[in-house]
Amino acid sequence: MRGQPVARLLHVADQAAAVAAGTEDAGTGDRCVDTDGLTVEQVVDAIVAGAAVPLLSVPLSGQ
């Protein structure tokens, strides 16, 4: 999107926000994580902490 006029960037941002709102209103997806002000690591921690299926412990040796 580099080099695009500000008006085009604002239009694309508005479209993305509308799609996101529509997706949320439709109940699509299992969870929503507010990522504002969080690092990537904090977002991952929030997702893992709220996972519906616990992570399984599987031996790597095949035993």
Side-chain angles (χ1 to χ4, degrees):
M1 304 280 315
R2 288 185 181 151
Q4 296 293 315
V6 171
R8 172 74 177 139
L9 297 175
L10 291 173
H11 177 73
V12 170
D14 286 343
Q15 285 182 319
V19 169
T23 301
E24 188 172 337
D25 291 345
T28 303
D30 293 339
R31 86 174 18 266
C32 179
V33 176
D34 183 3
T35 61
D36 290 348
L38 299 180
T39 66
V40 171
E41 291 81 10
Q42 290 170 323
V43 172
V44 170
D45 288 344
I47 293 168
V48 171
V53 178
L55 299 177
L56 300 176
S57 175
V58 178
L60 297 178
S61 64
Q63 297 176 356

